[in-house]
Amino acid sequence: MTMTGNAVSAASARPVAAAPAADAHDLIRVRGARENNLKDVSVDLPKRRLTVFTGVSGSGKSSLVFDTIAAESRRLIDETYSAFVQGFMPSVPRPDVDVLEGLTTAILVDQERLGANPRSTVGTVTDANAMLRILFSKLGEPHIGGPTAFSFNIPTQQASGVMTSATGDKTIVRNAVYLGGMCPRCEGRGSVSELDLSQIVDESRSLNAGAIMVPGYTADGWMVRGFAESGFYDPDKPVAEFTEKERHALLYNEPTKVKVKGINLTYEGLIPKITKSMLSKDLDALQPHIRAFVERVATFARCPECDGTRLTEAARSSKIAGVSIADACRMQVTDLAEWVRGLDLPDAGPLLEALSANLDAFVTLGLGYLSLERPSGTLSGGEAQRIKMLRHLGSSLTDVTYVFDEPTIGLHPHDIQRMNTLLLQLRDKGNTVLVVEHKPETIAIADHVVDLGPGAGVGGERSASREPSTDSRRAARSPGGTSRTARRSSRRCGARPERSRCAAPRRTTCRAWTSTSRSGCSRS
């Protein structure tokens, strides 16, 4: 027998090795969870599976999923940063739980609104705008520059000085222009504000007597001292008596270095100062008294220079098949997807495929009616959650835990099936998917169900784990979703809604859920 044959024979004669120890960690173990109204809840959750948490409102679903599992995952990740970095991060206490094992990185896909940046749009919070910028920078006619030339977050800049290359070579540049796409008039916000100066400055008073009526600018405060002691005007003279030069210095002066009582400060006019700190912010993100001030003094209108597109004239002039990037962003996503599919551009084949897949995901999530220029701050909670989900569908990350808070809320039954498909896609990529949900259509596709109850508040203290029954799966797939089968089941189930084991509203498949055994409960 040859040497190779001897080796093969020896290998086959050896006993089969046991599975690696790492393969045994396939559960998230929760023992003795007591967050909020949880009463020593213990449960095992399978990894790389879709688990749905059900129960009446107030039964403790969010306390278990968000305040215990996701919160501890975040706390452990935060502890990996240096003490210096942790000092700038919010402090997250350890959840009230005895044991939490098998956690992976948790990504929350909740219904919180997206950001408060006035330049944030549906296109910028997804990859759609980034891909469009690359497309127009490569194939737009006339060619005006790279992707930054189509970004309304980057202004055009001019610089002079010494440029050092990666090899160390130095070159003197004079008035070098670096193209950006930001409209200089509205600074990429798409709107400009007309101010009522009578609501900002009381010209009958002096600065020391309280002429500035902006919140936080009290006469004896530090903010006003910077104006009063700047040396540009007499702080005891009524503003109405200021010369034109003094008035300009108070309201519109460019940033200038001044010394106030021996301290070097940057002096800036009142209007540009409050524009940066208040007027350029998302109204909903401002404190109530500041929001009331902004609404009182400012009237917002579409920028006349860029027509609300946020982009420079050069960026709007470059087109593909007669369509500019501004035109593309104004289209409804369904129309934009059709336009992209109709482009015959062999040089951009892979890019067009990726862009088409991204836009098709909008439609799949029931967001095809949006446009990419839509400000992200105007999205509802349900829309914001689906936009976040859109970002994760194309992610290369695997073996992470995705946590969803009622992802089907507000969806048409047809769109619920699409959402279910996407949840399964996340699972099939090797991720753990935890969903807080009431809809029976989503409960039916779960690999594992955790039902909390039987009631809300102090009654939400127990849990039962199980797999969805065949009856419930069949009911959820029946025509009309939860129609005839649901009504028959609700009649046969004699329990009142607050006492039942029903994971969804009264007119769902109560029988399937109330008859489930509690033998799967892992409480100790």
Side-chain angles (χ1 to χ4, degrees):
M1 184 178 290
T2 63
M3 185 178 297
T4 302
N6 291 333
V8 171
S9 298
S12 61
R14 287 197 299 267
V16 178
D23 293 345
H25 300 283
D26 56 356
L27 291 175
I28 297 176
R29 298 179 63 246
V30 182
R31 294 292 181 269
R34 293 177 295 273
E35 275 294 311
N36 301 325
N37 61 322
L38 297 178
K39 303 293 181 62
D40 288 314
V41 171
S42 299
V43 67
D44 291 336
L45 307 176
K47 290 185 180 179
R48 293 172 290 279
R49 297 292 185 271
L50 172 60
T51 299
V52 174
F53 295 78
T54 66
V56 298
S57 297
S59 60
K61 303 183 298 296
S62 296
S63 297
L64 178 59
V65 179
F66 292 95
D67 300 337
T68 303
I69 298 174
E72 178 65 358
S73 175
R74 175 184 175 181
R75 187 185 71 85
L76 293 175
I77 292 174
D78 288 352
E79 288 184 349
T80 64
Y81 295 101
S82 66
F84 175 77
V85 174
Q86 289 184 43
F88 295 94
M89 303 171 69
S91 178
V92 180
R94 186 183 187 280
D96 189 2
V97 60
D98 293 337
V99 176
L100 261 179
E101 295 178 346
L103 294 179
T104 63
T105 301
I107 298 177
L108 271 64
V109 189
D110 55 20
Q111 297 182 20
E112 292 293 326
R113 295 185 61 206
L114 287 167
N117 191 324
R119 298 191 187 95
S120 176
T121 66
V122 169
T124 60
V125 297
T126 60
D127 289 332
N129 259 35
M131 288 187 280
L132 279 176
R133 290 197 297 267
I134 296 173
L135 181 66
F136 277 88
S137 67
K138 289 180 176 295
L139 302 171
E141 293 292 341
H143 177 75
I144 64 168
T148 58
F150 296 91
S151 173
F152 51 74
N153 284 312
I154 301 177
T156 298
Q157 299 177 350
Q158 186 173 341
S160 300
V162 179
M163 179 184 294
T164 304
S165 67
T167 60
D169 297 332
K170 295 185 177 181
T171 305
I172 297 177
V173 296
R174 300 183 185 278
N175 299 323
V177 176
Y178 300 93
L179 283 178
M182 178 188 292
C183 170
R185 173 74 182 275
C186 65
E187 297 182 341
R189 290 189 291 270
S191 63
V192 292
S193 56
E194 299 292 337
L195 302 181
D196 183 357
L197 293 180
S198 66
Q199 297 292 326
I200 300 175
V201 177
D202 183 353
E203 298 195 2
S204 65
R205 300 182 180 184
S206 66
L207 293 181
N208 286 338
I212 299 178
M213 299 185 293
V214 180
Y217 286 70
T218 57
D220 56 349
W222 176 254
M223 300 294 290
V224 174
R225 282 184 59 188
F227 289 95
E229 300 177 9
S230 64
F232 290 112
Y233 33 71
D234 182 0
D236 293 316
K237 182 168 66 173
V239 175
E241 299 178 10
F242 278 17
T243 64
E244 192 62 32
K245 182 178 180 181
E246 291 173 334
R247 184 183 178 83
H248 182 273
L250 171 65
L251 297 176
Y252 305 107
N253 207 77
E254 296 290 329
T256 307
K257 294 292 184 181
V258 297
K259 183 170 287 190
V260 176
K261 295 192 182 239
I263 301 175
N264 291 323
L265 298 175
T266 298
Y267 176 88
E268 188 175 22
L270 180 62
I271 299 304
K273 185 182 286 289
I274 66 172
T275 297
K276 294 176 182 177
S277 62
M278 300 180 186
L279 301 180
S280 63
K281 304 294 184 182
D282 182 16
L283 279 178
D284 293 333
L286 298 175
Q287 297 179 17
H289 68 289
I290 296 179
R291 180 169 61 228
F293 167 77
V294 172
E295 292 174 341
R296 187 169 64 250
V297 305
T299 302
F300 294 93
R302 175 175 291 187
C303 176
E305 188 166 322
C306 68
D307 193 30
T309 63
R310 308 165 183 254
L311 294 164
T312 60
E313 183 179 358
R316 302 194 306 273
S317 67
S318 182
K319 298 183 178 181
I320 297 176
V323 175
S324 68
I325 190 172
D327 298 330
C329 290
R330 278 185 168 172
M331 291 182 185
Q332 187 170 289
V333 168
T334 51
D335 297 333
L336 178 59
E338 184 177 352
W339 177 76
V340 170
R341 283 192 292 269
L343 293 176
D344 184 16
L345 302 171
D347 295 339
L351 178 60
L352 290 177
E353 290 179 6
L355 180 56
S356 293
N358 183 279
L359 297 174
D360 288 341
F362 273 92
V363 179
T364 301
L365 288 170
L367 298 173
Y369 58 88
L370 296 177
S371 64
L372 297 184
E373 71 170 3
R374 169 89 172 261
S376 59
T378 64
L379 298 174
S380 68
E383 290 171 333
Q385 184 179 44
R386 282 176 276 164
I387 287 292
K388 295 174 188 176
M389 187 176 184
L390 182 67
R391 293 187 296 185
H392 295 304
L393 285 174
S395 174
S396 300
L397 292 174
T398 60
D399 209 6
V400 300
T401 299
Y402 286 99
V403 182
F404 290 88
D405 182 14
E406 299 187 35
T408 63
I409 190 169
L411 292 183
H412 186 275
H414 179 67
D415 293 326
I416 291 177
Q417 299 303 326
R418 292 178 172 180
M419 174 64 74
N420 289 344
T421 300
L422 297 176
L423 291 173
L424 293 174
Q425 288 179 4
L426 282 177
R427 178 204 64 184
D428 293 343
K429 289 177 63 176
N431 300 305
T432 303
V433 182
L434 308 180
V435 182
V436 174
E437 188 55 86
H438 295 284
K439 296 289 180 65
E441 296 93 337
T442 301
I443 298 171
I445 68 166
D447 302 306
H448 192 71
V449 173
V450 177
D451 195 7
L452 287 96
V458 294
E461 58 187 36
R462 293 174 288 174
S463 69
S465 303
R466 61 181 178 274
E467 293 183 0
S469 67
T470 303
D471 190 14
S472 68
R473 293 181 187 273
R474 183 167 55 250
R477 289 194 297 265
S478 65
T482 60
S483 56
R484 293 189 298 272
T485 303
R487 288 195 290 270
R488 287 200 302 270
S489 298
S490 64
R491 287 197 298 269
R492 294 177 184 176
C493 175
R496 295 172 60 186
E498 63 270 22
R499 294 181 181 176
S500 70
R501 301 295 300 162
C502 179
R506 176 72 167 155
R507 292 181 57 173
T508 57
T509 50
C510 295
R511 180 182 56 178
W513 298 109
T514 55
S515 62
T516 303
S517 169
R518 294 179 56 83
S519 59
C521 180
S522 58
R523 289 190 63 202
S524 55

